[in-house]
Amino acid sequence: MSADEPAADQQAALLADPFGPLRSRGYHLLLVVTGLFGVVLSAGAYGFLEAVHYLQEAVFTDLPHGLGLDSVPVWWPVPMLVIAGLLVALTVRYLPGNGGHQPAEGLKTKGAAPAAELPGILLAAVASLAFGAVIGPEAPMIALGGGVALYGFRLLRPGSTAREQGLVAAAGSFAAISALLGSPLVGAFLLMEASGLGGPMLGIVLVPGLLAAGIGSLIFTGLGTWAGVGAGTLVIPNLPHVERPDIAQFGYALVIGIAAATLGAGVRRMALRLQPGVNRRRMVWTPVIGLAVAGLAIAYAEGSGKATSDVLFSGQSALPHLLLSTTSYSLGALVLLLACKSLAYCVSLAAFRGGPIFPALFLGAAGGIALSHLPGLPFVSAAAMGMGAMSVALLRLPMTSVLLATLLLGHDGLTVMPLVIVAVVVCHVVSARLNPPPVEGEATPAGTPAGTPAGTPAAAPSSPSAA
């Protein structure tokens, strides 16, 4: 009997009775375990995000004041991003795991990271996020959530099967990403699409993950309320009310979809083209790219009179301010912001470690607001379409992109959802023609993640590879 036959028998049994695992005692035990991991990992995700926020404040506000500077000078990002480049380069070179997956390749789903790689993923992410690289926190959180859950489960049950380990790792990734995105459903859709989940395994894998994410979201919200720093939601309050879309706005959805596909393809192609050179001489090029990001932020600040923070960082914190202060941004400032942030995002993808989601959302919002100067296009609808379209251009996950863009608008998200869907679908189709094919090992919607352990369901290890 070959090694593949037991796995084949399991798959055949699953096809015959897809709900069989739901009735097993072992599966019920897994639900208890994943619920407990949801508590622990959401508390850890909360601590990670708060630590990054604290370090950003310390590096860009407290430190210059501590050095006797009356205000933060416009050149301050230069040394900070050079330091970030050095820290990331040292982490990638000397610690196992390459500092996590390379974000220019999208959200990769090759299995949970081994325990030995977790410190490198954490350090590279903190150095990138805290010192101003244009990168998001979601990919490291997925990797850390899945890796910590897998390591903890192996300690609790050393004799567990690869399938059980895969389910727990997937649940850990669910819990971590849902804490960040503020919604278990958005986290479920993101990991479902990124992993190519489907078939009879869909419900089996999603149930533990949703349980961990749901419990984890409660913990995350409770911690935020107790600490007085928010409830962990992405919804932006106090936006102007959105009227029902008309035919003209559907026409604009086509334009925004094509424009986002073009910009997204340019960012992705340039990042992938820069990445091999950075990998060959990382100790040189990562600090240089940090210097370039700082230069772009300074150029934007000098040209627009706005803060360098609009260009630096992931854009997660700056996005509400952008949407709530649109009247303070001239068309010229928005175009300059779009250009500088796009270039900074592109080179950050090639050199630093993090995720692609929030910079894409920010760029989409800025582009949509710029286009809202055209007649008949409200800025909220334009920003929503831009966010959805830019998200799918970089993530290639259409359902997740629609949910992210509409979630940000709260109740008005349902009103603009038809527009967002049109923009996302157009962008997704055009991007398929403009983007290079997926790099080796990158998951596709219909594909099986590479690196899946034998006997593990293809979609179960939903955290990205650390390679």
Side-chain angles (χ1 to χ4, degrees), residues 52 107 149 159 190 204 236 258 299 302 326 351 456:
V52 167
L107 288 174
L190 188 151
I204 304 303
I236 299 173
I258 295 171
E302 291 296 301
T326 55
T456 304

Side-chain angles (χ1 to χ4, degrees), residues 23-86:
R23 295 188 290 270
S24 68
R25 182 177 179 181
Y27 189 78
H28 297 163
L29 178 61
L30 277 179
L31 291 179
V32 175
V33 172
T34 53
L36 294 175
F37 275 127
V39 174
V40 175
L41 290 171
S42 291
Y46 175 88
F48 174 80
L49 293 174
E50 283 302 297
V52 167
H53 177 73
Y54 174 82
L55 288 173
Q56 288 175 349
E57 291 288 329
V59 168
F60 284 89
T61 302
D62 299 339
L63 182 57
H65 292 161
L67 294 175
L69 301 173
D70 294 333
S71 61
V72 181
V74 71
W75 52 262
W76 186 257
V78 173
M80 297 302 103
L81 277 154
V82 171
I83 292 172
L86 287 171

Side-chain angles (χ1 to χ4, degrees), residues 23 28 43 80 115 122 202 222 268 293 318 375 428 455:
R23 295 188 290 270
H28 297 163
M80 297 302 103
L122 177 62
L202 176 61
R268 182 178 173 84
V293 173
H428 194 43

Side-chain angles (χ1 to χ4, degrees), residues 346-364:
C346 170
V347 296
S348 293
L349 286 173
F352 290 96
R353 292 295 184 264
I357 293 179
F358 286 103
L361 287 171
F362 188 92
L363 284 174

Side-chain angles (χ1 to χ4, degrees), residues 71-165:
S71 61
V72 181
V74 71
W75 52 262
W76 186 257
V78 173
M80 297 302 103
L81 277 154
V82 171
I83 292 172
L86 287 171
L87 291 175
V88 171
L90 289 169
T91 301
V92 171
R93 182 168 182 178
Y94 292 108
L95 291 181
N98 202 35
H101 90 287
Q102 302 188 105
E105 298 172 6
L107 288 174
K108 298 175 69 176
T109 54
K110 289 173 62 178
E117 298 180 2
L118 298 180
I121 295 173
L122 177 62
L123 290 175
V126 170
S128 299
L129 295 167
F131 285 84
V134 185
I135 210 74
E138 62 281 352
M141 290 184 68
I142 293 173
L144 292 169
V148 170
L150 178 61
Y151 178 67
F153 186 63
R154 283 174 173 171
L155 290 179
L156 291 174
R157 296 192 64 187
S160 57
T161 66
R163 183 182 300 276
E164 291 171 334
Q165 293 176 19

Side-chain angles (χ1 to χ4, degrees), residues 42-455:
S42 291
Y46 175 88
F48 174 80
L49 293 174
E50 283 302 297
V52 167
H53 177 73
Y54 174 82
L55 288 173
Q56 288 175 349
E57 291 288 329
V59 168
F60 284 89
T61 302
D62 299 339
L63 182 57
H65 292 161
L67 294 175
L69 301 173
D70 294 333
S71 61
V72 181
V74 71
W75 52 262
W76 186 257
V78 173
M80 297 302 103
L81 277 154
V82 171
I83 292 172
L86 287 171
L87 291 175
V88 171
L90 289 169
T91 301
V92 171
R93 182 168 182 178
Y94 292 108
L95 291 181
N98 202 35
H101 90 287
Q102 302 188 105
E105 298 172 6
L107 288 174
K108 298 175 69 176
T109 54
K110 289 173 62 178
E117 298 180 2
L118 298 180
I121 295 173
L122 177 62
L123 290 175
V126 170
S128 299
L129 295 167
F131 285 84
V134 185
I135 210 74
E138 62 281 352
M141 290 184 68
I142 293 173
L144 292 169
V148 170
L150 178 61
Y151 178 67
F153 186 63
R154 283 174 173 171
L155 290 179
L156 291 174
R157 296 192 64 187
S160 57
T161 66
R163 183 182 300 276
E164 291 171 334
Q165 293 176 19
L167 288 172
V168 172
S173 296
F174 268 79
I177 194 61
S178 297
L180 170 67
L181 298 178
S183 169
L185 287 179
V186 178
F189 271 100
L190 188 151
L191 292 178
M192 180 179 67
E193 288 191 286
S195 302
L197 280 172
M201 281 306 302
L202 176 61
I204 304 303
V205 177
L206 282 182
V207 170
L210 285 173
L211 177 65
I215 294 175
S217 293
L218 290 175
I219 299 300
F220 194 89
T221 301
L223 286 172
T225 304
W226 174 69
V229 294
T233 177
L234 291 182
V235 177
I236 299 173
N238 302 321
L239 287 172
H241 177 66
V242 180
E243 300 293 337
R244 293 182 65 84
D246 54 27
I247 297 298
Q249 291 177 37
F250 278 98
Y252 281 126
L254 301 177
V255 174
I256 290 174
I258 295 171
T262 304
L263 177 59
V267 168
R268 182 178 173 84
R269 281 181 174 274
M270 188 181 298
L272 289 173
R273 185 167 295 181
L274 291 173
Q275 182 176 281
V278 173
N279 290 342
R280 284 192 296 268
R281 301 189 66 188
R282 180 164 296 281
M283 295 302 298
V284 174
W285 283 113
T286 312
V288 169
I289 284 178
L291 186 63
V293 173
L296 288 165
I298 293 170
Y300 165 75
E302 291 296 301
S304 66
K306 299 292 185 180
T308 57
S309 58
D310 283 353
V311 171
L312 300 177
F313 309 113
S314 69
Q316 180 181 359
S317 299
L319 183 59
H321 173 76
L322 176 67
L323 289 170
L324 294 171
S325 307
T326 55
T327 56
S328 68
Y329 286 83
S330 66
L331 179 59
L334 289 168
V335 172
L336 185 60
L337 173 59
L338 197 62
C340 292
K341 185 88 172 182
S342 297
L343 290 171
Y345 179 35
C346 170
V347 296
S348 293
L349 286 173
F352 290 96
R353 292 295 184 264
I357 293 179
F358 286 103
L361 287 171
F362 188 92
L363 284 174
I369 294 170
L371 288 174
S372 70
H373 286 77
L374 296 172
L377 182 58
F379 86 87
V380 176
S381 299
M385 289 186 282
M387 288 187 290
M390 276 303 296
S391 295
V392 81
L394 273 299
L395 295 178
R396 301 183 177 185
L397 308 177
M399 290 190 294
T400 301
S401 299
V402 170
L403 281 175
L404 282 170
T406 54
L407 173 69
L408 286 161
L409 304 184
H411 296 299
D412 287 328
L414 292 175
T415 305
V416 301
M417 185 177 284
L419 298 173
V420 174
I421 290 173
V422 172
V424 165
V425 170
V426 170
C427 181
H428 194 43
V429 173
V430 175
S431 293
R433 300 295 301 269
L434 298 178
N435 272 317
V439 298
E440 182 180 354
E442 184 178 355
T444 61
T448 296
T452 304

